[in-house]
Amino acid sequence: MLFRSCQQSLIIACLQMEACLRASPERGASQVVSESARWMRKPGGSQEPALLCVRGKALYGIGQLEDALKHFGEALKLDPDHSSSRQMRNQIKELERLKRMGNEAFSAGNFAEAEAQYSEALQSEGGLPADVKLTLLTNRATARFRARKFDGSLEDCDAALAIKPGHVKALLRRAAVYMGIENWKAAIGAYEAAQEADPDDRNIAQGLRQAKLELKKSLRKDLYKVLGIDKRADDREIKKGYKMSAMKCHPDRHASGTPEEKAKAEQQFKEVGEAFEILSDPEKKQRYDQGEDVEEINGNGGGGRGPGGMSQADIFNMFNAQGGMGTYCVMTGVPSHALLGDLEAVLLPVCMQRILAIEVQEHSALIEFESEVDAEACVGETRLLDSTVQRSEEHTSELQSLTS
């Protein structure tokens, strides 16, 4: 028991409890909550502002902010000039205001503002109870994670786990960050630590399975990387990624290269076709996303469309059918070797951001744009002679002839 002497003196007991809180804020808070409850049951105890205040401080110390506010409010009703109760009540109200504003900003998708509010709350005067600090740190870690500030989010997780090593929310946030940066092994470790702290949580078990699956998937050939696209790419982005990747490594563009360069281009072109064959097929894409290897998807026999995937004619037919892309094109009679020279010297630095596709043949070429303005501008800026701007939908035969 805390107070073996002067137990009948309520004022002295309050002073002793205050001293206990100052000496050991965390452990002392639990002791004072218990001891102050005993004094509250004594005659006149619930009418003493000093006792209500010290009990409120202890409740605040264990993270029970709402109950703490009630005690400070009761103390001020009995003594409107009780400065310690007023100071603590204002401090908690400001803390709750900052936390509420942070939560509202987060719900509105304003993660930078949420981070700012949680940061200000963490700087509250007088220190914060461990549980309150844990909540603010994990909230800020979540806001930083959603803002893709992964390093800052991990720092908050580390700070929270330094306070409470088995804190499940911090472990799960750490796991989510590692998943976000594709550090699958670290994510598995974080999920395993969370599962050890809470073995019955099915969501943790599911997260652990997903992390292990992602690790397995990471050891395969990354088809999304082959096409230069994000793993969340939609059909349109997959087709565009295929088109741009196929243009870069098409064997015709490396016809004048060394044997090694030609072989490398042919292999890359084959890989691009293989990647597109799988990612453009909903069933095969689903199997790939679920962790199957390319060999398993293709039945250990390679792709069904042959080396390199689709033909050049197939490429243009597919892009013409997309709608909204490649609406205009430049038909030019410049020979392919001359056009490739223009591409390297002039066309790429001036127009590359506006080009959707390029196809070159021995005596002709087609450059595809999304708008007539881009097409006309590129012709003017690069001085491509013998060129005309046409709507690609109206010249299917020309497109077919260029790729036949």
Side-chain angles (χ1 to χ4, degrees):
M1 185 171 295
L2 286 175
F3 315 116
R4 297 187 177 180
S5 60
C6 304
Q7 293 185 1
Q8 302 305 313
S9 174
L10 180 56
I11 298 301
I12 293 178
C14 289
L15 292 174
Q16 289 178 311
M17 286 186 277
E18 288 275 7
C20 183
L21 287 174
R22 286 195 295 271
S24 179
E26 295 181 16
R27 186 173 60 181
S30 297
Q31 291 178 308
V32 171
V33 167
S34 176
E35 185 66 16
S36 61
R38 186 178 70 84
W39 282 96
M40 290 285 288
R41 292 192 292 270
K42 291 180 177 292
S46 61
Q47 300 299 308
E48 174 53 53
L51 179 59
L52 289 166
C53 182
V54 75
R55 180 169 172 78
K57 290 180 180 179
L59 290 167
Y60 172 72
I62 61 174
Q64 296 184 16
L65 273 59
E66 186 175 346
D67 287 340
L69 277 174
K70 290 179 180 178
H71 280 71
F72 295 132
E74 289 297 322
L76 288 170
K77 286 181 182 178
L78 295 169
D79 181 3
D81 296 325
H82 200 271
S83 59
S84 184
S85 293
R86 180 178 293 103
Q87 179 183 350
M88 286 301 302
R89 185 181 67 174
N90 292 343
Q91 179 179 327
I92 294 175
K93 283 188 173 182
E94 176 63 8
L95 178 61
E96 288 194 324
R97 183 188 71 82
L98 292 170
K99 182 181 175 183
R100 182 179 66 256
M101 290 181 66
N103 293 344
E104 290 173 354
F106 184 89
S107 297
N110 190 345
F111 305 121
E113 178 63 20
E115 177 188 354
Q117 296 297 332
Y118 294 140
S119 296
E120 187 174 349
L122 282 163
Q123 300 300 319
S124 297
E125 295 183 5
L128 294 169
D131 287 347
V132 174
K133 191 171 184 178
L134 279 171
T135 298
L136 290 170
L137 283 170
T138 51
N139 284 1
R140 189 172 69 177
T142 304
R144 286 175 165 176
F145 170 77
R146 294 294 298 276
R148 303 188 70 78
K149 295 181 178 180
F150 296 128
D151 289 342
S153 185
L154 284 176
E155 289 175 4
D156 284 340
C157 292
D158 291 343
L161 291 168
I163 298 172
K164 187 177 180 180
H167 190 55
V168 174
K169 185 176 180 182
L171 288 168
L172 290 177
R173 180 51 54 217
R174 174 188 273 178
V177 172
Y178 284 135
M179 292 288 282
I181 61 177
E182 300 185 1
N183 187 341
W184 312 124
K185 291 184 178 180
I188 290 171
Y191 276 124
E192 286 177 342
Q195 192 171 57
E196 184 177 348
D198 190 355
D200 299 324
D201 191 319
R202 294 183 179 179
N203 290 329
I204 296 176
Q206 181 179 352
L208 179 58
R209 286 194 297 272
Q210 185 63 36
K212 290 180 176 179
L213 174 61
E214 293 297 336
L215 177 60
K216 176 189 173 184
K217 289 162 62 176
S218 71
L219 301 177
R220 309 168 305 167
K221 182 189 297 181
D222 189 339
L223 301 186
Y224 291 97
K225 186 177 291 185
V226 170
L227 297 186
I229 57 178
D230 186 80
K231 293 180 179 179
R232 295 179 291 273
D234 57 22
D235 289 344
R236 182 177 182 275
E237 292 167 329
I238 290 171
K239 291 176 181 178
K240 185 173 182 180
Y242 171 56
K243 176 170 58 174
M244 299 304 294
S245 299
M247 284 196 318
K248 291 177 182 177
C249 62
H250 195 287
D252 287 352
R253 299 192 64 185
H254 300 271
S256 61
T258 64
E260 292 78 11
E261 291 172 340
K262 291 180 182 179
K264 181 179 179 181
E266 289 175 1
Q267 180 60 32
Q268 289 177 336
F269 191 67
K270 179 179 179 180
E271 291 176 355
V272 167
E274 180 184 59
F276 181 70
E277 178 183 351
I278 291 176
L279 296 182
S280 64
D281 184 311
E283 181 181 350
K284 290 183 177 182
K285 182 178 183 297
Q286 182 180 24
R287 291 171 61 188
Y288 178 78
D289 289 342
Q290 289 175 346
E292 288 192 42
D293 294 328
V294 172
E295 292 76 11
E296 294 174 328
I297 296 171
N298 288 330
N300 297 316
R305 304 185 189 183
M310 303 177 71
S311 69
Q312 294 182 38
D314 289 335
I315 294 175
F316 271 103
N317 288 337
M318 175 188 72
F319 294 134
N320 290 336
Q322 278 183 246
M325 289 183 62
T327 306
Y328 291 88
C329 59
V330 173
M331 303 291 293
T332 176
V334 178
S336 61
H337 64 275
L339 180 59
L340 286 174
D342 283 343
L343 283 173
E344 294 178 359
V346 180
L347 188 60
L348 286 176
V350 175
C351 301
M352 194 59 195
Q353 296 302 317
R354 292 174 287 183
I355 293 173
L356 294 177
I358 302 171
E359 276 299 328
V360 293
Q361 293 293 305
E362 185 176 358
H363 299 295
S364 60
L366 178 146
I367 310 170
E368 198 173 9
F369 296 87
E370 189 165 1
S371 73
E372 184 176 13
V373 172
D374 285 342
E376 294 281 9
C378 191
V379 169
E381 292 171 18
T382 58
R383 297 179 175 83
L384 288 174
L385 302 177
D386 235 359
S387 302
T388 56
V389 176
Q390 303 170 333
R391 293 183 65 87
S392 60
E393 293 89 345
E394 299 171 359
H395 295 85
T396 302
S397 61
E398 286 91 337
L399 296 172
Q400 297 272 354
S401 67
L402 282 178
T403 57
S404 59

